[in-house]
Amino acid sequence: MIDTKKLGRPRNFDYDTALLAAMNVFWIKGYDGTSLKDLTNAMGISGPSMYAAFGDKRELFLKTIERYSDVDGCEPIVVFEAEPDIQIALRKFLEIIIKYATAHESGAKGCYLASTVTTNIGEVEGVDGMVREAINDSDERLARRFDQEIEKGNLPANFPSKERASLLYDIRQGYMFRGRSGWTAEQLSTDLDYRVKMLLVPPN
């Protein structure tokens, strides 16, 4: 016989939906500006339920960083990896970034890592390591995609994959910053063709 007293109460909420709601609150209000009441109201759960499922405010914040890195932060890279034509892949990558920078479904603009999370490096324990890991992982995946083109013979053997990967990531963050500052998708899209060509220019 199962001792029901030893079993925890089943959750009456969707874990990922609640986590996404918490992330959106942090994104808009910042870590320090977000209260526990803000979080529980947005997540639609009680304080005890939040603590049981996500831990305290800091632990919840770290979980939102992981969620963003695994889902939102990776969508452009997944598309970049999947598209066989490197020029189209780069353009799609930048188009998705522009969409995120100007019309994210949460109502927040810019990159969650850049606009909210990095402001807490040195203030919230564990944030700095997670941010470095997210950046390094992105750089490595972008570089591998360029390396594939070298192996196919579409890019020269001396093509600087790592350097272009870092440049592509930095362009991404530039779009995010401009989007947060009020640039429209139309304004950010005017030089997409030039940027794609620039990213693929072979070294001298």
Side-chain angles (χ1 to χ4, degrees):
M1 180 182 295
I2 298 175
D3 186 355
T4 57
K5 292 181 180 179
K6 294 182 180 180
L7 297 178
R9 290 183 180 179
R11 292 176 184 156
N12 57 0
F13 64 91
D14 181 78
Y15 182 93
D16 193 62
T17 299
L19 185 61
L20 178 62
M23 184 186 78
N24 290 340
V25 175
F26 282 129
W27 197 337
I28 294 170
K29 293 194 172 188
Y31 181 81
D32 289 335
T34 297
S35 67
L36 292 177
K37 184 176 181 180
D38 291 331
L39 292 169
T40 54
N41 285 345
M43 298 165 78
I45 60 178
S46 66
S49 294
M50 189 195 84
Y51 281 106
F54 302 98
D56 60 17
K57 178 181 172 181
R58 171 185 162 275
E59 292 173 307
L60 174 57
F61 186 55
L62 296 181
K63 284 181 171 65
T64 65
I65 298 172
E66 184 177 18
R67 194 271 181 194
Y68 182 83
S69 299
D70 288 344
V71 182
D72 286 28
C74 283
E75 181 185 357
I77 299 177
V78 169
V79 172
F80 183 59
E81 292 171 327
E83 169 56 52
D85 186 301
I86 188 62
Q87 292 191 21
I88 296 175
L90 282 167
R91 187 177 182 89
K92 286 184 176 179
F93 178 94
L94 296 175
E95 286 174 343
I96 294 173
I97 294 301
I98 289 172
K99 180 190 74 173
Y100 271 65
T102 59
H104 194 275
E105 61 187 16
S106 70
K109 293 181 179 180
C111 171
Y112 182 55
L113 295 182
S115 62
T116 300
V117 176
T118 55
T119 62
N120 294 281
I121 290 177
E123 301 295 328
V124 179
E125 183 182 355
V127 168
D128 54 344
M130 295 189 74
V131 171
R132 282 197 301 271
E133 183 178 353
I135 294 172
N136 289 336
D137 181 64
S138 294
D139 283 348
E140 290 174 4
R141 291 177 66 178
L142 294 171
R144 282 199 298 270
R145 180 64 182 85
F146 286 122
D147 285 340
Q148 290 173 6
E149 296 302 310
I150 295 174
E151 294 172 1
K152 294 176 184 177
N154 296 330
L155 292 174
N158 64 340
F159 187 83
S161 296
K162 292 182 179 180
E163 290 79 2
R164 295 299 168 84
S166 295
L167 177 59
L168 182 56
Y169 187 88
D170 292 345
I171 289 174
R172 166 189 175 173
Q173 296 309 109
Y175 276 134
M176 293 296 190
F177 184 76
R178 289 177 184 272
R180 192 173 179 84
S181 300
W183 266 252
T184 65
E186 182 178 4
Q187 289 173 318
L188 294 178
S189 300
T190 56
D191 62 350
L192 278 181
D193 290 336
Y194 171 79
R195 294 190 179 219
V196 169
K197 290 179 181 179
M198 177 186 68
L199 287 160
L200 293 175
V201 170
N204 295 329

